[in-house]
Amino acid sequence: MASEGEEADQDESVDEERSTFASNGRHTKESAGEEEASEEEEEDEDEEPRLKYASLTKHLKPVYRNGDATSAILVAGDKMIVGTHNGNIHVLSVPSLKSIFVYRAHSASTSGLSISPFPPPLAATKLDALNKAASENRGSPRPSTPRKPNDSPSTNSPRRQPVPLTPSNLIYIASSSIDGTVCVQSLTDPKDVQLRNFGRPVQAVALSPDYKADRSYLSGGLAGNLVLTVGGRAGTSTMSNTTRGAAASASGWLGAIGLGANTGKDTILHSGEGAISTIKWSLSGRYIVWVNEQGIKIMRSNLHLESAETEFAWKRISHTDHPNRPGWDEMAGIWKAHVEWIDEAGLESDDGYSTANGTSDKPHDPPDLQRLKIPQKSRRIEKLVVGWSGTIWIINVHPGGAGVGKEIGERKIGRGEVVTILRIDCIISGISLYTPNLLLVLAYITPEEDLSSNQKNTKRGVHRRQNALEPEMRIIDITTKEEVSVADTLTMSRFESLSATDYHLGVLPAMRISNKAATQRGTFEAIGGGIEAIGGGIWDATMYPARLFSSAASVRSGDSPGSSVKAPSDTATSTTAVAAQTTAEIPNPSTLTHGMKIFIHSPYDCVIATKPTLSDHFTWLNNHNQYEEAWKLLDRFPEAAYGQSDRDSDSLSSTPTKAHGSLVDFFADDSSQTTISAHRIPNSRVEKEKRRIGERWVQQLISAEDWSTAGRTCGQVLGTSSSWEHWVWVFAQANKYEEITRYIPTTQLQPPLPSLVYELMLGHYVSKDRLRLKELLELWPPELFDAGTIIDAIESKLKAGDVREDSMEDGKTGRDWRILYEGLAKLYLANSQPRQALGCYIRLQDANASMDIISDYHLVSAVCDDIPGFILLRVTKSQQKSAPMLELAAQTLEPIRLLVSEAHHGIVPPETVITQLQSRYGMPNPYLFFYFRALWNGDTTTDTDDTKPTKPAQAVEERLLALEGKTLVSDHADTAVSLFAEYDRPLLMTFLKSSQSYTLELASHICEQRTYIPELVYLLSKEGRTAQALRLIIDSLNDVSQAIAFAKDQNDASLWDDLLDYSMNKPRFIRGLLEEVGTSIDPLKLVKRIPTGLEIEGLREGLGRMLREYEVQESISSGVARVLRGEVNAAMVERGRGQRRGVRFDITHGHEKLKYHDEARNASHPPKNLKPGYCAGCGDPISEHDKILLVGFPCTHIFHLPCLLKYESQDSEMSNVLSSFNLLEDEEDEGGYDRSIGPKVDHAALLRTVAGKGCPMAMHSVNGNG
């Protein structure tokens, strides 16, 4: 902490600057009116905070033990490193905040901390996390006893538990102190420690990112020297060779030539510009920034240099002057600069809220973040943020490279570019970049002094120390250079006595998971392995602040404007309660945020700040009665309902019931990786919360008398029948039916909404608004209410006489009367009373509705007493008189089809329809024709759209109906002939050809009256008067083609003679016969009968055509004959080839016989299952020495000739043939058969006779006896 004198000087300088820099309006002067201040407070309270806070003080009890206080902090990876005023260094694990390692590094206040590598690696595997958790559960190590500066760091160290060798623990920690020493300690190896004394207070230290390999670090302090220290032996305490003294010089000189002890080498890189307050390596390790009293310096390091750039090592590339403000000379040594190298991929997004899995409520990250999601070391430009006094610089450090233009061929070392400069009205105690466009500033505030009172109450040259105000966390837009929200006031313990240097800000950037790790192991398995920046899946200190931290210490003050966090002093709790809380404080990895973590330290307190989650946003909206926004948030992000400290029960229900006794148990339990999935489940807590917020929203609108919006909101937010019933009655009692009616559910709820709700609405509109009643009856399904109740209400209204058929409404006669009757008809249908509904529609003269009811409910029988009236339901009187047939057919199509359908079902027989139509309209009449035509075609479908495709089953049914309809029409065939002759002549011919039921004389008479020649010709031919029919064709139609076709159809020679006789005096007929008769008659006969001297036009062409037809016929006949002969010849050749083909059969070399040998000799039929090489008759093997004649068949069966003859002997016709064989055998010599021609011919003839029928086994198989 700064001394009182320093603080007084600082306060004085700040007072002087008030006149230069504009105030941000957070602390108004006493001259401002109280009314204006109260209004500003109200506005501040209505603005949602950009950050949420939680106190960590009670979790850092070991740090504050024995009255110690923090003086320096560093957060990186999964570690928090705290340096205290007593010189202790505490290494804490996050998120548990348990102590991993504590050691006494200095005898005075710690001024700076650094680690290597930075950022440190995280646990690569789950096993690493287990080892880490196990080490934490062994207990917190106690700090070692103080040691003298000259003592070895390891001399008096007590024994402690070893730190596990996990990747996240393989780091070095460097600390500097105002006692002039720098201590570098390995976290895992207690013997790997160095203590170096520089003789003057050291304010800053920075380890090389590659310290494990190069053993180098930078340091600086009040001496004003930037010192590079390289080497040094582990476990020693040495003096810097930059201090004045013979021993130090000799040690440094001997060490430089390799003769002295390895005490390390110190090199002064820069000096002479005042005390150095800050030193930091860049994230890539290429650059170093340090700040002294003259300004901000950036130099190139010795890391990642190419071979041609070795000369650039430790060369300065940039300088920025110190803040130019009054009082700088006095305060230059007190105002400490704060620098931060920015990992742009670890920044928060500009908009939205953190969700449970660390994502924003936006679907994608901003474009600049998408571009920056690459490893930091691969980026070219590095960003640096510096806050010093009240000035902020944003500097881009550009890399070097090959020169261009005039400097081509030369290599550039790099440059620093100041892109933004901001000035604010406070002292900066910490700074970082929050989003790509927002700055995060920890502001130290001092009250404005009343100059007149100071002059009266103070002596000349003596300044009274002022009490400081609470520090503030400010978020500033880089573009507009204005604060984006009300500053958050942080109420720390003993803040009145603290100075700007007593506050520290540490930031853990948002996590970044490497693509490789995520691809290989998945999301949760990759936790730790692919993380390059902490903030990820293994912990979240703020998702559930009351679960991880004490809820009593995480409260927001309501007494001051803006948002504030109080960090109370430590309170005593029992050991049992602490142990139980530790188990409950373990967060669920599936719900942890991945966002940025901001740690604010004072000497006595620690506070963490994070971006609010969706659940925080929801809680704020709920607490500020912004129910509309809260409901919409839940509707879009159901997970916003989870994560609240007062809603742990649901979280517990969705996680395993097994209690985790330690971090080891927690991380070892894979079931703890479950996630909550309650979206859109009716009874889930999300839906219940939505309904609760929704009803509050509705009540809020009703209180504001906004009934229209309230009704619309009910339709949006209400989801249960009980809530709907309640709010409908509320609207009804206020006579606001119209505002709620349109939003009442039109589908059945579970449990169902009482029908009384709908009946109440409908009953109201029966009396008040019939147009609205019509809309509701069309909109609401009848299942929602009791139709009988509404029927009674409508009938009562009609009986009362208030609504009549001749009453006027809006200039329309009987409008409401028609609406009530239409509604009544619909309700009758819903109440299963179709006949009453039909009566309503008939009274309304609504043909379409009447036809629909008759069709759907088969109510044709209800109108069968007046069939003509039913058919003419859609035909007006004027249409009956003058409408064309097509129009009448269209208007009567549907009732005609219904009558046909009922005729098929036997409900309305055709006789009834015919009788009523004939008695009403006589004969013939079009309506009866329509009926007969539909009945003949089987047209029963009620669908007037003929373009739809017909299914196969439907087509079959239609064909069956058509057949049945033709039968029904045939029962009244004479009437059908009369109707078809009158209205549809093509159908008449079809009917005449298809039916046999009509009277030929009557049909002929009708056709003769109407001069229907084709029909009359058909009827005459049907009566057998073909000559008369032919004469009618020739004389009346004068159509030679039809006459020829008629003669061909009859196939009567005498008819051809009649045709020739009738045609001989008609040249046109003769030519037609020549061209079309073809081969039906003898052409010579036709030509000879042509009268001599008769001039016939086209005779030559006719004769030529006839001759060509005969030639074609002759050619076809000859071709067919040739093809037939060719096929016969081919078959004969194939048969001969088969007869000449040899038959292959096997022989046996042994003398074994089949087991059925004896049975086969006496059997009447050949045996089955023969083996190849055996006689099919006797079963003896066939050998190559067999002298008996063998007979083989193409079916592969082989017989000895005697065996074959034995089977053939059963045929009585073969006795003579067999006797001839016996005679031949008797004549054989002992040496074999006679080889002369005569016996061979006889043998062949006899064999042909015997074996001509084929194999006896095949014949036996065909006959089915085997």
Side-chain angles (χ1 to χ4, degrees), residues 738-788:
E738 184 61 28
E739 286 77 3
I740 189 63
T741 302
R742 70 184 66 182
Y743 304 108
I744 295 177
T746 59
T747 57
Q748 195 65 272
L749 301 177
Q750 292 297 333
L753 185 61
S755 62
L756 183 60
V757 172
Y758 299 95
E759 295 161 11
L760 173 67
M761 298 290 110
L762 293 173
H764 169 76
Y765 289 112
V766 167
S767 302
K768 301 298 183 181
D769 189 349
R770 262 70 67 177
L771 286 175
R772 185 63 174 148
L773 174 67
K774 179 180 179 181
E775 295 176 3
L776 293 179
L777 289 177
E778 293 176 353
L779 179 64
W780 289 351
E783 297 81 9
L784 298 176
F785 53 87
D786 182 11

Side-chain angles (χ1 to χ4, degrees), residues 403-644:
V404 295
K406 296 181 179 180
E407 299 177 348
I408 190 170
E410 300 179 2
R411 297 195 65 83
K412 308 295 292 184
I413 191 174
R415 61 186 177 89
E417 177 189 7
V418 178
V419 294
T420 303
I421 299 178
L422 301 176
R423 291 183 175 84
I424 57 177
D425 61 339
C426 64
I427 305 301
I428 299 173
S429 294
I431 191 170
S432 184
L433 203 59
Y434 183 53
T435 74
N437 296 316
L438 298 179
L439 277 170
L440 196 67
V441 177
L442 178 59
Y444 176 78
I445 309 297
T446 55
E448 297 182 2
E449 290 189 69
D450 190 345
L451 298 178
S452 61
S453 63
N454 284 344
Q455 293 176 358
K456 294 179 181 179
N457 299 330
T458 60
K459 298 180 181 180
R460 180 180 180 85
V462 178
H463 297 277
R464 178 178 57 84
R465 175 186 175 88
Q466 292 180 280
N467 290 333
L469 300 177
E470 298 98 326
E472 292 181 351
M473 183 63 71
R474 299 182 181 181
I475 299 178
I476 302 173
D477 192 313
I478 299 174
T479 305
T480 63
K481 301 185 179 181
E482 296 179 357
E483 296 185 28
V484 297
S485 63
V486 178
D488 296 332
T489 302
L490 310 176
T491 303
M492 301 287 193
S493 299
R494 299 176 242 178
F495 64 87
E496 300 89 348
S497 61
L498 300 180
S499 66
T501 57
D502 291 326
Y503 295 101
H504 307 278
L505 179 70
V507 175
L508 286 180
M511 71 167 294
R512 180 173 66 248
I513 300 178
S514 66
N515 295 333
K516 180 179 180 181
T519 302
Q520 292 178 348
R521 297 191 299 274
T523 303
F524 290 114
E525 294 179 8
I527 290 176
I531 300 176
E532 297 182 8
I534 187 60
I538 63 169
W539 74 285
D540 179 8
T542 59
M543 188 64 181
Y544 298 99
R547 189 181 304 169
L548 182 59
F549 311 116
S550 172
S551 59
S554 178
V555 295
R556 186 178 299 279
S557 174
D559 299 332
S560 59
S563 57
S564 63
V565 174
K566 291 187 177 181
S569 60
D570 299 340
T571 57
T573 56
S574 64
T575 305
T576 304
V578 171
Q581 182 182 3
T582 302
T583 302
E585 286 170 358
I586 300 300
N588 191 328
S590 64
T591 58
L592 297 180
T593 183
H594 296 182
M596 179 182 289
K597 314 298 187 298
I598 304 162
F599 295 89
I600 304 102
H601 277 259
S602 74
Y604 316 106
D605 287 302
C606 177
V607 174
I608 185 173
T610 59
K611 189 174 187 177
T613 61
L614 289 172
S615 59
D616 298 319
H617 181 46
F618 168 72
T619 302
W620 187 90
L621 293 173
N622 187 21
N623 294 338
H624 287 75
N625 300 331
Q626 297 184 20
Y627 300 119
E628 179 180 1
E629 290 78 5
W631 188 91
K632 291 179 179 179
L633 179 67
L634 280 183
D635 187 58
R636 185 180 180 190
F637 301 102
E639 63 270 20
Y642 295 93
Q644 304 303 309

Side-chain angles (χ1 to χ4, degrees), residues 25-41:
R26 297 300 182 276
H27 302 278
T28 57
K29 296 183 180 180
E30 294 180 359
S31 59
E34 295 182 357
E35 182 178 355
E36 181 180 352
S38 62
E39 292 178 356
E40 183 177 353
E41 289 182 4

